[in-house]
Amino acid sequence: MKKGIAFVMYLVCLMVCFTGCGKKEDEKSDAGKAGTEKTETKKAESDEAKQYNIVLVSGDIADAWQVRMEEGMVKFQEDTGHNAYMKGPTKSDSSLQAQVLEDVIAHDIDALIVCPVDAQVIDPILKKAREKGIVVISTEGSELKNVDYNLEPDSPTGIGEKMMEVMAEEMGGKGKYTTMVAYLTYPSHNRWADAAIAYQEEHYPDMECIDPAKLECEDNVEVAYERTKEILKNNPDLNGILGVTCFSGPGIAKAVEELGLQGKVTIGGTCVASLNEPYFESGTIKQETFWDPLKSTYACCALAVRLLDDPDFEVKDGLDLGIEGYTDMKVEQTESNTLLKGNAMQIMNKDNYKDFPW
């Protein structure tokens, strides 16, 4: 009897032990699950914290070129999840752009991309942005000082030289010409025009830049048209006009057609297909250089994220920003800032303009 009781007690002890062990294992399992959930929650919070606010401040939100820049912000947001968007005035005006910049940096943003109207006007505002810890990147901002980097499709010199090379080829390396910028205060436009003129003087001695060497079109097709009519009437022997803003080409072409000078006046510079289509078709404009502003904007955003993720990120030759034309960047220290240049220049003509429907 005693042996039977002892055996029962032994079985009870075993059951208690196994139950206790199972409970502890369950507790460990539950704790493990809770730990995993906490880790995943922290990871999700961490990932969410890395969704940056990136703002592009343009010179004119209605400008066809800068509308395409905004499409670059939209694409970057779709691809990455970062909050990327554009702000800007409704016309190209340095004081209006400055007001937009002041408003933008007063809010909680992580990075600012700017395409300047007037470097001297906005540079002090960009300084305030950087003092707040905002990453500042410019495009077409060769004279800006208060930026982390200035990102371009090529160097400002390279852009101007390519524009001149294409126009001079069409002119047969001979004749008189002038250039057209948006404003004489536009930093990059004037650098491109200066580089184009210098390249002509070195490589095409039978060409001559007349006085004035630069016309202003105020980033307006109708103004470009009026200025072109005036310069052609005063200089009937003019053979070419190099317009470095996308609004210059169609305005120049309109005047050339009106004056019956097709085939006599070469139109060079940069362009967008949506504005140049009728003139490519008529042959008044045969070829111009360009790059895709969507891609340059996308590259600026990609660079901003690299710098925000790692303030010690080393920007060096060969940098790949994940979009065509900006996969093998070159770094160059200029008088004003650090230039990051890509290889994104292209030529647009009647045969290919429909490939760029913007």
Side-chain angles (χ1 to χ4, degrees):
M1 182 72 178
K2 288 181 179 180
K3 287 182 179 180
I5 293 171
F7 181 70
V8 170
M9 292 297 293
Y10 173 72
L11 290 176
V12 170
C13 288
L14 282 177
M15 289 175 66
V16 170
C17 287
F18 280 123
T19 302
C21 288
K23 185 177 180 182
K24 286 180 181 179
E25 288 300 320
D26 288 343
E27 287 175 351
K28 285 181 182 179
S29 177
D30 291 341
K33 287 178 182 178
T36 301
E37 288 173 358
K38 286 180 181 179
T39 301
E40 288 175 351
T41 300
K42 286 181 179 179
K43 183 178 184 299
E45 290 173 352
S46 175
D47 289 344
E48 185 176 352
K50 288 185 179 180
Q51 290 183 341
Y52 301 119
N53 294 315
I54 307 171
V55 185
L56 163 66
V57 175
S58 70
D60 179 356
I61 58 173
D63 178 334
W65 185 271
Q66 296 186 49
V67 167
R68 181 66 173 174
M69 292 180 75
E70 183 175 22
E71 291 175 8
M73 302 298 285
V74 172
K75 178 172 174 54
F76 188 79
Q77 177 167 305
E78 291 174 346
D79 288 352
T80 67
H82 294 293
N83 185 27
Y85 58 96
M86 184 173 86
K87 294 280 188 179
T90 54
K91 66 176 183 177
S92 185
D93 181 287
S94 59
S95 61
L96 293 177
Q97 186 181 41
Q99 290 174 23
V100 174
L101 279 168
E102 290 279 11
D103 180 64
V104 163
I105 68 171
H107 291 80
D108 185 20
I109 66 169
D110 300 294
L112 172 64
I113 300 166
V114 62
C115 184
V117 175
D118 187 327
Q120 293 184 348
V121 171
I122 71 165
D123 232 345
I125 303 171
L126 300 183
K127 183 179 181 182
K128 289 193 286 186
R130 295 187 77 196
E131 287 171 349
K132 288 186 65 175
I134 298 169
V135 169
V136 180
I137 298 168
S138 62
T139 184
E140 301 183 27
S142 57
E143 292 184 5
L144 291 171
K145 294 181 173 62
N146 291 294
V147 297
D148 291 277
Y149 294 94
N150 179 48
L151 187 146
E152 305 285 1
D154 197 340
S155 68
T157 298
I159 293 170
E161 290 180 351
K162 185 64 175 178
M163 288 181 185
M164 175 52 69
E165 184 179 40
V166 171
M167 189 176 82
E169 175 188 312
E170 190 176 333
M171 291 175 64
K174 297 179 181 180
K176 295 181 179 181
Y177 73 96
T178 188
T179 71
M180 184 177 285
V181 299
Y183 293 97
L184 295 176
T185 58
Y186 258 40
S188 287
H189 284 191
N190 288 275
R191 288 286 297 276
W192 302 339
D194 290 341
I197 294 168
Y199 190 76
Q200 170 267 306
E201 291 174 345
E202 182 178 353
H203 294 87
Y204 304 100
D206 293 331
M207 290 177 64
E208 176 189 349
C209 187
I210 68 166
D211 184 23
K214 297 175 187 173
L215 306 173
E216 286 185 304
C217 74
E218 301 175 16
D219 260 350
N220 184 291
V221 172
E222 287 304 309
V223 174
Y225 160 71
E226 294 293 345
R227 300 281 161 80
T228 300
K229 281 202 306 182
E230 182 180 355
I231 198 75
L232 287 173
K233 288 177 179 178
N234 293 335
N235 299 270
D237 58 345
L238 194 68
N239 306 110
I241 303 177
L242 183 77
V244 304
T245 163
C246 66
F247 291 100
S248 53
I252 297 167
K254 181 181 176 182
V256 166
E257 289 188 351
E258 186 176 295
L259 296 171
L261 296 174
Q262 299 97 313
K264 297 178 181 179
V265 176
T266 297
I267 302 168
T270 194
C271 65
V272 295
S274 59
L275 297 175
N276 277 28
E277 178 177 358
Y279 305 110
F280 280 134
E281 287 296 330
S282 68
T284 304
I285 298 177
K286 290 185 168 53
Q287 57 181 357
E288 289 190 293
T289 59
F290 80 106
W291 60 94
D292 188 344
L294 177 151
K295 293 178 181 178
S296 61
T297 303
Y298 193 103
C300 287
C301 290
L303 176 61
V305 170
R306 301 279 183 92
L307 297 173
L308 289 165
D309 279 343
D310 181 5
D312 297 322
F313 177 73
E314 184 180 5
V315 175
K316 59 184 179 180
D317 286 353
L319 176 64
D320 184 349
L321 293 175
I323 195 160
E324 184 184 16
Y326 302 88
T327 57
D328 185 16
M329 305 293 290
K330 303 298 180 187
V331 182
E332 181 180 310
Q333 191 65 46
T334 71
E335 292 180 4
S336 301
N337 53 46
T338 303
L339 168 67
L340 262 177
K341 57 181 181 179
N343 183 27
M345 294 285 289
Q346 296 176 260
I347 295 176
M348 190 182 294
N349 54 39
K350 183 177 180 179
D351 295 331
N352 70 357
Y353 79 86
K354 292 181 180 179
D355 295 335
F356 310 102
W358 42 271

